[in-house]
Amino acid sequence: SINYEAGLRVRSGSLRAELIGFFNKYENLLGRDTLATGGTGSGDLFNGGKVRVHGLEAAMSADLQGSLGAKFSVPVSVTYTFTRGRFENAFQSQYGPWGAVAAKDELPYLPAHQLFTSVGVSTPRWLADVSASYVAATRTRAGQGALDPATSTERAFVLDALGEYVIDQRLRVYASVQNVANQSYIVARQPAGARPGLPRTFMAGLKFGIGR
C-alpha cells in the first residue's frame, strides 16, 4: 500500500490548527478475523484486492484563558474526520463483513463522519473536562447506496466527563463517567447479531507517580 498526505499546520499563541488530506492506495487489502473487527476471533486472513481510501482531517485546539480573562486554563479542542473507502474489484469472500463484493462497494465499518470536541477547566490543584463524540452510521457489510438499517450501525452522540484532584506531587484522585446520557446505539452486527455501545460507566481511582 502507498499512503499520500498533504496538509497545513498553523500555530499562533495557544491556538493550534491543522488541515490534512490523505489518500491510501492498497494493492491487496488484508482482512483479519478478530473479535475487534466483528469476526469470530479465529485470526484467519482474507484477501480484499485493490482498495482506495481517501479523506480529510481538521483539528483545532486552544486555551481560552486569555480571551475570557480567567484565572485558570480553559482548554478546548475540536477534531473532525471525513473518510471514504471503496473496493476496486469484485470477489466473493468468506469474511463476514465483506461477503459478495462488487466493484465500487464501500468498505464496511468505516464511518464517513467522525467528530470529537472537548472543553475543560484546569488549575494546579484540579481539573474537569467534558467531551462529546459523534460517529455517523456506517454499513456493516460491503455495499453501495443508502444504508440498510438491518446491515448498518447507528449514529452515536456520546458525552463523557472527567474530574481529577491533585493530592500531592505523586498522588492524584480521579473520577469519570462515560456515556453520561446512557445512550443506546448499535456499534456492530458481527459475529452474532447487533452489538451495543458502552452503557453509562463510572470509574474512580488513584494515580500514583513513580520516579523523578
Side-chain angles (χ1 to χ4, degrees), residues 100-112:
V101 175
K104 305 304 179 183
D105 275 359
E106 295 180 341
L107 270 68
Y109 293 106
L110 187 64

Side-chain angles (χ1 to χ4, degrees), residues 98-124:
W98 291 352
V101 175
K104 305 304 179 183
D105 275 359
E106 295 180 341
L107 270 68
Y109 293 106
L110 187 64
H113 307 283
Q114 298 181 76
L115 176 68
F116 175 82
T117 182
S118 69
V119 59
V121 175
S122 177
T123 73

Side-chain angles (χ1 to χ4, degrees), residues 111-115 133-138 153-158 185:
H113 307 283
Q114 298 181 76
L115 176 68
S133 60
Y134 170 82
V135 179
T138 184
T153 65
E154 294 178 328
R155 63 181 181 180
F157 181 79
V158 179
Y185 54 97

Side-chain angles (χ1 to χ4, degrees), residues 63-192:
D63 189 339
L64 302 183
Q65 179 178 10
S67 301
L68 298 176
K71 296 181 180 180
F72 42 79
S73 295
V74 186
V76 298
S77 66
V78 179
T79 302
Y80 167 75
T81 304
F82 168 79
T83 314
R84 282 288 193 216
R86 296 183 184 276
F87 291 98
E88 294 295 306
N89 46 257
F91 61 95
Q92 180 73 36
S93 176
Q94 294 181 344
Y95 182 43
W98 291 352
V101 175
K104 305 304 179 183
D105 275 359
E106 295 180 341
L107 270 68
Y109 293 106
L110 187 64
H113 307 283
Q114 298 181 76
L115 176 68
F116 175 82
T117 182
S118 69
V119 59
V121 175
S122 177
T123 73
R125 294 292 295 179
W126 58 270
L127 66 85
D129 180 87
V130 176
S131 62
S133 60
Y134 170 82
V135 179
T138 184
R139 64 184 74 251
T140 59
R141 289 182 65 90
Q144 302 180 33
L147 296 181
D148 181 352
T151 57
S152 64
T153 65
E154 294 178 328
R155 63 181 181 180
F157 181 79
V158 179
L159 292 173
D160 299 327
L162 168 70
E164 191 170 298
Y165 182 77
V166 178
I167 297 177
D168 58 33
Q169 291 183 342
R170 294 182 180 272
L171 187 61
R172 300 178 177 220
V173 60
Y174 72 92
S176 68
V177 185
Q178 295 174 275
N179 194 1
V180 174
N182 201 28
Q183 294 289 326
S184 297
Y185 54 97
I186 295 173
V187 296
R189 291 189 180 274
Q190 280 91 15

